Amino acid sequence: MWQRYFEVARQEAEGGEEGQTAQKDDLFRTQEEDIRQAERDAARHADRVHGFDAHVSAVVPWLRETGIVDHIHGLKKDETRTANTVPRPGEESNLRTMIDAMESLLQNAYRLCFDGPDCMLTYQCRAVLSRFQHLQVDLTGKTRPFDPYKGPKSLTTYFGIAHRFVSYFSRVVAPDKYHFSPVTSLDDDSEGKRPEDVIKATDEQLAVWQDIDQRARQQRTNEQNGENDDDDDDDDDDSKKELKERLLELWMLLICHTTGARRYELPLLSFCAMLSVKPSTRSWLEPGNFNSSLSAIIWVVTLLVFYDSTLKEKQGHGETLKLVKAYWD
């Protein structure tokens, strides 16, 4: 048997070897760009806040029912972190001046809670203040009085929560511009609401904040110009005192601010929602730790309500106990 073979002429690729090399380079460049784009897409997806379904916190119904997931869903995690980041000590900024004043305000309030000539926190007042924390119930069913004492480490953490809220108000609530990037739906590319669209600070709150900002700016200017010499100590003390008074006034306005069912219109509650994201890993905070953050903000609010009442008593506006009861009622 025999077979006939047909000679097949080899056809050179158009452009020869140089053309083949160019085509390979184009293919590799396309693949590399696809890989880089996939990495960018994955990074953007990871930096967005998603639902509770894949997290242990899904087993705690109130985390979902409070609407936290709806308020911060789709936000960039890094932006939720920077929204309440406290500027470093020594930083020359208006916000840092406010933080220093807030720290001094909290220290002044804390000192009035303990035995001594300045103590104004009676047992009866502690009992009324405990109403701000419904969990202050012991094993016998009796309500435990408000306990102001915190160890040095805990005190720093609790005061730090207040500092973070002031930072949040400065970056998210007060400015006319957005801190958070647009929230885009993955389903239809529609743009959702950002926290700035939801929060409804009152005109009075914003007016007090503007005064706080102006006073902090003036204090920085005086310090930079060296106007706080020994002869100006009294004026300096007065300006710092006024700044703290305005900060306390802002807190009282925020504490007494109610909106009914639209809870995240409140600046304080919007801030609390941001605490559900862990700053270090930008993942969901464990339920127990989240509760600790909420306890810290409630403790700070309780302390400031007490302090505001003591100042009003000193000004002749009533007794501390009755004033504290008035806040509760």
Side-chain angles (χ1 to χ4, degrees):
M1 294 180 63
W2 58 276
Q3 294 179 336
R4 176 176 294 181
Y5 294 91
F6 295 92
E7 182 178 358
V8 179
R10 187 177 67 177
Q11 296 181 353
E12 296 291 340
E14 184 178 354
E17 293 183 359
E18 293 181 359
Q20 291 181 342
T21 301
Q23 291 177 355
K24 291 179 181 178
D25 291 342
D26 290 341
L27 175 62
F28 289 139
R29 278 195 295 271
T30 300
Q31 290 178 334
E32 289 175 354
E33 180 57 33
D34 289 343
I35 293 172
R36 285 194 292 268
Q37 184 61 46
E39 291 175 345
R40 288 193 292 268
D41 292 342
R44 281 196 293 268
H45 181 76
D47 193 39
R48 292 286 182 180
V49 177
H50 302 288
F52 288 100
D53 296 337
H55 190 264
V56 66
S57 55
V59 302
V60 185
W62 65 265
L63 279 175
R64 185 188 298 276
E65 293 170 2
T66 53
I68 288 177
V69 65
D70 295 325
H71 188 58
I72 67 175
H73 181 78
L75 299 180
K76 290 185 176 180
K77 295 176 183 177
D78 191 54
E79 290 178 351
T80 64
R81 177 185 61 81
T82 57
N84 57 78
T85 298
V86 179
R88 296 179 180 276
E91 179 179 311
E92 295 185 358
S93 66
N94 287 357
L95 180 55
R96 184 64 238 184
T97 300
M98 297 176 195
I99 297 299
D100 291 340
M102 190 70 228
E103 173 70 18
S104 179
L105 169 65
L106 292 167
Q107 292 287 355
N108 291 344
Y110 193 65
R111 279 193 290 269
L112 294 181
C113 295
F114 301 99
D115 293 338
D118 296 328
C119 180
M120 298 185 68
L121 184 60
T122 63
Y123 181 85
Q124 291 83 356
C125 190
R126 290 174 56 200
V128 175
L129 287 170
S130 67
R131 298 178 186 177
F132 289 93
Q133 290 183 283
H134 295 291
L135 297 180
Q136 293 294 324
V137 180
D138 59 24
L139 296 178
T140 64
K142 295 181 179 179
T143 301
R144 296 193 302 268
F146 169 66
D147 184 6
Y149 176 76
K150 299 295 174 186
K153 186 176 180 180
S154 295
L155 192 64
T156 299
T157 300
Y158 278 42
F159 284 4
I161 287 286
H163 299 165
R164 290 170 63 185
F165 172 72
V166 173
S167 301
Y168 184 76
F169 199 99
S170 174
R171 296 193 181 99
V172 178
V173 182
D176 294 329
K177 61 182 180 180
Y178 284 101
H179 170 81
F180 291 102
S181 301
V183 179
T184 304
S185 172
L186 297 177
D187 298 328
D188 55 10
D189 292 333
S190 62
E191 187 172 314
K193 287 187 176 181
R194 290 177 260 187
E196 294 94 333
D197 299 322
V198 177
I199 299 170
K200 303 295 183 185
T202 66
D203 292 340
E204 191 174 6
Q205 291 168 4
L206 294 175
V208 172
W209 177 263
Q210 290 177 358
D211 188 49
I212 290 171
D213 184 66
Q214 291 174 359
R215 290 178 184 275
R217 190 184 307 276
Q218 185 61 49
Q219 185 171 314
R220 287 187 59 234
T221 300
N222 293 342
E223 292 172 353
Q224 291 171 353
N225 294 338
E227 296 180 8
N228 294 334
D229 297 330
D230 293 340
D231 295 338
D232 298 324
D233 282 347
D234 292 339
D235 292 338
D236 182 37
D237 289 342
D238 288 342
S239 65
K240 291 180 179 180
K241 180 181 177 181
E242 290 170 355
L243 178 57
K244 289 186 287 187
E245 288 175 349
R246 297 298 270 170
L247 278 168
L248 181 59
E249 182 180 354
L250 175 64
W251 275 90
M252 292 303 103
L253 290 172
L254 292 164
I255 292 168
C256 297
H257 185 181
T258 59
T259 60
R262 300 180 300 277
R263 56 175 65 94
Y264 292 110
E265 290 184 1
L266 302 177
L268 261 176
L269 290 187
S270 177
F271 167 70
C272 289
M274 300 299 157
L275 298 179
S276 62
V277 178
K278 187 185 303 184
S280 57
T281 62
R282 295 185 296 178
S283 59
W284 290 111
L285 200 64
E286 294 80 3
N289 291 335
F290 185 41
N291 291 344
S292 297
S293 297
L294 296 181
S295 295
I297 195 70
I298 293 173
W299 184 90
V300 167
V301 165
T302 305
L303 179 67
L304 291 176
V305 166
F306 161 70
Y307 186 52
D308 181 70
S309 300
T310 63
L311 294 182
K312 287 179 178 177
E313 177 178 329
K314 292 178 179 180
Q315 296 165 359
H317 299 307
E319 298 177 0
T320 297
L321 181 59
K322 292 181 178 180
L323 292 167
V324 169
K325 286 181 178 179
Y327 275 114
W328 172 254
D329 297 336

